[in-house]
Amino acid sequence: MRLSLRFVLPLMLVLAGIAYAVAPLVDRLTLSWFVHDLESRSSLIANTIQEPLQELLAAGKRVKILEFFNRLTQDERLFAVGYCATPASRALATRSLPPEVRCSDLHLWEGTNHLLPSAKGPLHVTVRPMVSEAAPEGRLVLVHDMSFVTRRSEETKRYLFYLFMGLAAAVSLVTVVIAQLSWRGWMAGMRSLLRGEGLLRQPRGAQPSLPEFKPIARDLQRLIRELESDARARDEDQITWTAESLRAILRGELRGEDIIVVSNREPYIHQRRGDRIEAQRPASGLVTALEPIMRACSGTWVAHGSGSADREVVDRHDRVSVPPDKPAYRIRRVWLTAEEEAGYYYGFANEGLWPLCHIAHVRPTFRSGDWAQYVAVNRKFAQAVASEAKTKAPIVLVQDYHFALLPSMLREELPDATIITFWHIPWPNPESFAICPWRDEVVAGLLGSSILGFHTQFHCNNFVDTVDRLLEARVDRESFTVSFGGKLTAVRRYPISIAWPPEAEMLQKNVADCRSAVREQNDLPPEVMLGIGVDRLDYTKGIVERFRAIERLLELNPEWIGRFSFVQIAAPTRAGIEEYQQHEAQVRATATRINGRFARRGPPPIVLKVEHHEPREVYAYFRAADLCFVSSLHDGMNLVAKEFVAARDDERGVLILSQFTGAARELPEALIVNPYDADQCAAALHLALTMPAAEQRDRMRLMRGLVAEFNVFRWAGRMLLDAAAMRRRGRLIGRSGGVET
Ligand code: GDG
């Protein structure tokens, strides 16, 4: 409507201007028409009255002549009639003859159009010869009233104006209608092109896209992608990613957006300690990364309420504001029954999906009862998120393999939401994944996401291959998008990391003090070379393989017996699962066996500490060590490797890193090993223990540069910037959430 008015009003003004511009022309034209008309009329009158007038003149009947003239002027247009016998005589005329009309001038006016002004309006004077024998110079003068010409001219102009206005309205209407139809058609064509329709197979029943656009479609899409990635690369290069810059970007890019995080683990757990309630913050990279987002956007974090005092601190909507000392966002707690937790968390997620995705030679266990709980709990979380959404199109960040079904369930509840799902663990190849009895449901569930993130491109490839193998979906390997059920999911790589710089408290104690304190605490001689491993006690972390590598080192290089000890911090985890109990037993037995072999000649080669440590203590171990050994059999990223690097502001220490971690792709300056190859690992241990300080510094410096730059704020920021770009594009093509295909 606004567009129409914007177009119609100027057009009408232009046409009105034209109408006024042509008005003088109309005046001139109508005047010349009427003058010509009066000429003809005058000739007609002159010819008609010639005979009777001649007769009356010849008879000298002046009175009769005047009566005759008066009768003639009863015609409304004929104003006056007169006759001059000679230029010198007085005119015989009706009283109305203007005084300016004198017999002496008539010879000058003969044959011309003479106009006289008068109070009534212009008068037209025609002079015709009226010759007789008695009066060879006789002239008839006819004066016509021309005021009607002015009246007619005004009327003509008025009609002309109305005509132009009508014309303007009609032209505008037709133009606007045609323009609207063409614009809609063109926009629909462009939108469908930008969405990729018509480039690939047409969905059944869909309108074929405009064929004339097809040749430019791919180029256009590629251009948009290139521009986006250029802009992103440029932006990212210029940004030093910190919690504050992440907050600033969020305020700029996602001002006022409704942001919801969903994870199994909550960012604050309220525990009862006697009379007091303590708010514990779990040591988790995920919380570190997502909390700045929550603080900046005053968002909502939906999580399983697992603390002993969690129910005591929530309001009647199960919400609690955090951080406790300076509330900035809120947790919405979801309560699970013991059966739900057993089936969803311990069962399907940790006995099914965890071993399935890790390919760590532990068979996944799938039970239909667990699956039913997994579905039910995912549904419960979807409803909780929907009830927390303040707008129809929130940004929802779904975390990890506990919520594979949540994206599609959320898509049903909030069709316009932008759903970013991050899968923190690896994604296996299609053959391995096909073991899962509910493989199709899991993959389809994830495809409810607008963006699906993995740590490495390898995992993205595996996921896309799995989709291709299992579902009737359109996979575009150029843009790495999957179109399923009319929705598009972008599959992207977002390598997770740690906060940089680490909290000052972690680096407070200097390295020398850490070295002596750690050795003292563990009854190790001050000069012993120290290795460190920090893991959850999980079979994917390759702790047994790590111990075998140490054993092999001592076999191959016995000079290290009594001179090298390895401290393994193993935080108990998922202890309710039998596989984990067996694994713990195996780890303990392996350490005992190896210590039994080599401990007789000094300190034990392995110091196994199966207990949770505070982050400050973990950092003290990192700083005290000469090497850190990460030997995961399969790991999405592995944050321990990055934490070791962050802890070494002295630029010393060597990182030995399994090739099966995501981190190995980012930290090639580490000593990269195959944890299944004990000899190779032993060689790496020896190399680390003998590496010159200068080489340690060179390697550590490069790794620290990378971890500093590619930190966890960048991980979160990149996902949200992509989501913001997707929403902008969605608005451009008429949708805000998952882009429809
Ligand atoms: C999953 C993926 C991915 C360990 N023991 C203690 C302790 N930790 C901390 C470490 C580190 C974290 O736990 C472990 O993180 P990882 O990345 O190594 O491994 P997962 O727990 O398996 O995490 C993994 C990660 O998600 C993130 O996406 O990298 O691939 O498997 O921060 O320091 N922390 C404390 N005491 C301990 O005893 N405080």
Side-chain angles (χ1 to χ4, degrees):
M1 183 65 194
R2 267 175 34 219
L3 179 81
S4 311
L5 281 178
R6 257 185 268 151
F7 178 71
V8 171
L9 284 179
L11 183 70
M12 291 185 85
L13 284 174
V14 167
L15 286 177
I18 292 173
Y20 270 104
V22 298
L25 190 71
V26 171
D27 277 350
R28 274 206 301 280
L29 211 63
T30 46
L31 187 67
S32 84
W33 283 341
F34 283 115
V35 167
H36 186 258
D37 188 30
L38 287 179
E39 295 254 292
S40 311
R41 211 165 181 272
S42 299
S43 297
L44 188 71
I45 294 171
N47 290 339
T48 312
I49 66 171
Q50 179 150 13
E51 231 180 274
L53 184 61
Q54 293 281 22
E55 279 173 19
L56 290 171
L57 284 171
K61 295 179 177 172
R62 291 178 62 89
V63 178
K64 289 270 181 203
I65 290 170
L66 285 175
E67 280 174 9
F68 181 51
F69 283 174
N70 282 333
R71 272 204 307 280
L72 286 176
T73 54
Q74 276 169 11
D75 177 300
E76 63 165 337
R77 289 195 211 163
L78 194 57
F79 181 71
V81 183
Y83 173 77
C84 290
T86 64
S89 61
R90 263 189 78 222
L92 186 62
T94 56
R95 283 212 190 124
S96 51
L97 188 73
E100 297 93 324
V101 180
R102 289 180 296 268
C103 291
S104 54
D105 296 334
L106 292 188
H107 67 283
L108 299 172
W109 294 354
E110 199 175 304
T112 62
N113 291 311
H114 198 80
L115 296 181
L116 286 178
S118 86
K120 271 183 81 180
L123 299 172
H124 179 263
V125 184
T126 316
V127 179
R128 292 270 179 266
M130 186 63 67
V131 185
S132 64
E133 276 181 30
E137 289 184 276
R139 288 186 173 88
L140 181 69
V141 56
L142 299 167
V143 180
H144 274 96
D145 175 8
M146 282 190 74
S147 62
F148 80 96
V149 174
T150 317
R151 268 197 323 274
R152 290 276 168 85
S153 176
E154 286 304 319
E155 275 171 27
T156 310
K157 277 194 282 187
R158 206 163 48 242
Y159 289 132
L160 205 67
F161 179 74
Y162 292 145
L163 177 77
F164 270 101
M165 286 301 97
L167 203 66
V171 169
S172 317
L173 199 71
V174 171
T175 314
V176 166
V177 168
I178 292 172
Q180 289 270 12
L181 290 176
S182 320
W183 176 251
R184 277 188 201 160
W186 194 82
M187 282 303 285
M190 290 312 289
R191 282 173 185 160
S192 73
L193 279 180
L194 293 175
R195 290 196 300 270
E197 283 170 15
L199 298 175
L200 308 160
R201 258 180 300 134
Q202 287 288 339
R204 207 169 296 151
Q207 292 279 325
S209 63
L210 299 173
E212 61 268 28
F213 284 139
K214 279 191 179 173
I216 60 162
R218 261 187 205 284
D219 288 349
L220 198 57
Q221 285 194 321
R222 192 174 299 124
L223 187 68
I224 289 172
R225 273 201 301 277
E226 278 168 11
L227 285 173
E228 278 181 357
S229 75
D230 277 4
R232 197 170 62 202
R234 202 176 48 242
D235 292 350
E236 283 180 12
D237 284 350
Q238 286 166 3
I239 296 168
T240 305
W241 288 95
T242 60
E244 191 37 58
S245 67
L246 174 60
R247 270 196 286 272
I249 284 170
L250 290 177
R251 275 188 227 114
E253 293 277 331
L254 294 165
R255 179 182 290 275
E257 299 282 20
D258 184 14
I259 300 190
I260 304 172
V261 167
V262 195
S263 68
N264 176 68
R265 179 84 61 87
E266 43 185 352
Y268 286 88
I269 307 175
H270 288 92
Q271 301 284 21
R272 180 154 281 289
R273 303 255 182 263
D275 296 345
R276 286 190 311 117
I277 292 178
E278 253 177 35
Q280 286 183 351
R281 203 176 147 195
S284 140
L286 192 132
V287 174
T288 313
L290 298 177
E291 211 184 34
I293 301 174
M294 289 286 95
R295 284 175 190 249
C297 304
S298 303
T300 304
W301 192 314
V302 181
H304 171 208
S306 60
S308 56
D310 273 359
R311 283 180 193 267
E312 294 178 55
V313 296
V314 294
D315 64 12
R316 63 195 175 89
H317 302 291
D318 300 325
R319 296 176 190 139
V320 58
S321 292
V322 286
D325 49 331
K326 202 178 167 198
Y329 66 99
R330 58 194 184 164
I331 300 176
R332 160 70 193 275
R333 287 181 168 142
V334 176
W335 313 114
L336 299 181
T337 63
E339 296 75 47
E340 282 174 331
E341 198 178 352
Y344 138 83
Y345 180 75
Y346 290 106
F348 191 73
N350 284 319
E351 284 193 274
L353 288 177
W354 177 269
L356 176 76
C357 290
H358 277 94
I359 322 179
H361 314 292
V362 168
R363 284 187 186 156
T365 305
F366 294 110
R367 304 179 196 92
S368 55
D370 291 348
W371 170 249
Q373 296 292 4
Y374 189 82
V375 175
V377 171
N378 271 248
R379 176 72 63 199
K380 208 174 196 179
F381 272 83
Q383 282 157 0
V385 173
S387 72
E388 291 300 323
K390 295 188 201 96
T391 66
K392 279 168 66 184
I395 295 177
V396 187
L397 292 149
V398 179
Q399 302 302 313
D400 230 348
Y401 62 103
H402 311 98
F403 297 116
L405 306 179
L406 187 59
S408 63
M409 289 174 174
L410 267 182
R411 179 71 57 223
E412 282 167 27
E413 306 262 352
L414 298 164
D416 294 329
T418 302
I419 304 171
I420 308 171
T421 304
F422 193 79
W423 194 260
H424 288 259
I425 62 176
W427 190 275
N429 59 52
E431 292 75 19
S432 302
F433 191 78
I435 294 170
C436 177
W438 299 280
R439 54 191 173 253
D440 293 3
E441 288 87 337
V442 169
V443 175
L446 284 170
L447 290 177
S449 315
S450 317
I451 298 175
L452 175 58
F454 295 96
H455 292 299
T456 69
Q457 191 57 44
F458 181 62
H459 300 150
C460 294
N461 296 350
N462 278 349
F463 178 79
V464 166
D465 289 346
T466 309
V467 173
D468 223 0
R469 189 74 60 87
L470 297 180
L471 299 182
E472 278 292 316
R474 245 165 45 195
V475 171
D476 184 343
R477 284 176 193 271
E478 205 178 320
S479 61
F480 250 77
T481 52
V482 176
S483 168
F484 178 67
K487 293 280 174 188
L488 207 64
T489 302
V491 181
R492 295 277 178 275
R493 169 182 164 263
Y494 301 104
I496 203 170
S497 194
I498 56 169
W500 190 280
E503 285 175 43
E505 195 200 342
M506 304 292 159
L507 309 178
Q508 216 168 20
K509 202 168 175 180
N510 71 44
V511 169
D513 290 348
C514 290
R515 286 180 75 90
S516 54
V518 160
R519 283 164 176 78
E520 207 173 301
Q521 282 159 21
N522 291 282
D523 295 327
L524 298 171
E527 68 286 357
V528 76
M529 297 288 274
L530 194 75
I532 180 73
V534 180
D535 305 81
R536 287 182 303 101
L537 191 38
D538 194 294
Y539 50 80
T540 62
K541 301 297 179 184
I543 299 172
V544 171
E545 286 72 10
R546 197 175 305 172
F547 290 174
R548 287 192 189 131
I550 293 163
E551 183 179 25
R552 194 73 186 120
L553 169 77
L554 301 181
E555 285 169 3
L556 294 172
N557 302 91
E559 69 270 24
W560 291 114
I561 301 172
R563 291 180 53 223
F564 170 64
S565 284
F566 189 86
V567 175
Q568 176 64 51
I569 291 175
T573 182
R574 304 169 197 171
I577 298 174
E578 201 189 321
E579 203 67 52
Y580 283 79
Q581 293 159 7
Q582 286 175 9
H583 179 247
E584 182 181 337
Q586 194 189 3
V587 167
R588 284 184 187 278
T590 310
T592 307
R593 185 181 60 74
I594 295 170
N595 284 342
R597 267 187 82 184
F598 299 104
R600 271 165 291 151
R601 281 190 270 158
I606 296 169
V607 179
L608 177 60
K609 302 171 84 68
V610 181
E611 59 189 299
H612 181 83
H613 287 67
E614 287 306 308
R616 216 167 2 94
E617 294 176 277
V618 172
Y619 265 73
Y621 273 97
F622 284 144
R623 285 163 79 74
D626 296 290
L627 64 89
C628 174
F629 192 0
V630 174
S631 55
S632 307
L633 305 180
H634 204 182
D635 218 329
M637 173 54 70
N638 193 286
L639 295 178
V640 171
K642 294 185 175 180
E643 285 164 356
F644 175 66
V645 168
R648 300 314 297 257
D649 55 357
D650 62 336
E651 297 181 337
R652 294 291 296 270
V654 181
L655 175 63
I656 303 175
L657 183 57
S658 160
Q659 67 186 77
F660 304 119
T661 59
R665 287 156 210 262
E666 292 183 73
L667 302 172
E669 296 79 17
L671 300 180
I672 306 293
V673 295
N674 172 1
Y676 295 96
D677 184 343
D679 282 28
Q680 188 201 38
C681 290
L685 281 166
H686 181 70
L687 187 64
L689 290 168
T690 55
M691 188 180 284
E695 187 178 346
Q696 289 183 33
R697 190 197 55 228
D698 291 347
R699 288 175 183 261
M700 190 53 85
R701 204 174 267 176
L702 286 167
M703 292 192 286
R704 284 175 65 79
L706 187 124
V707 177
E709 196 178 336
F710 292 83
N711 59 35
V712 77
F713 306 114
R714 187 180 189 130
W715 171 77
R718 264 199 53 199
M719 282 193 292
L720 286 168
L721 285 178
D722 284 353
M726 185 175 262
R727 284 160 86 86
R728 273 199 302 276
R729 204 164 46 234
R731 278 193 281 270
L732 178 72
I733 63 175
R735 292 180 190 92
S736 50
V739 178
E740 282 178 33
T741 64

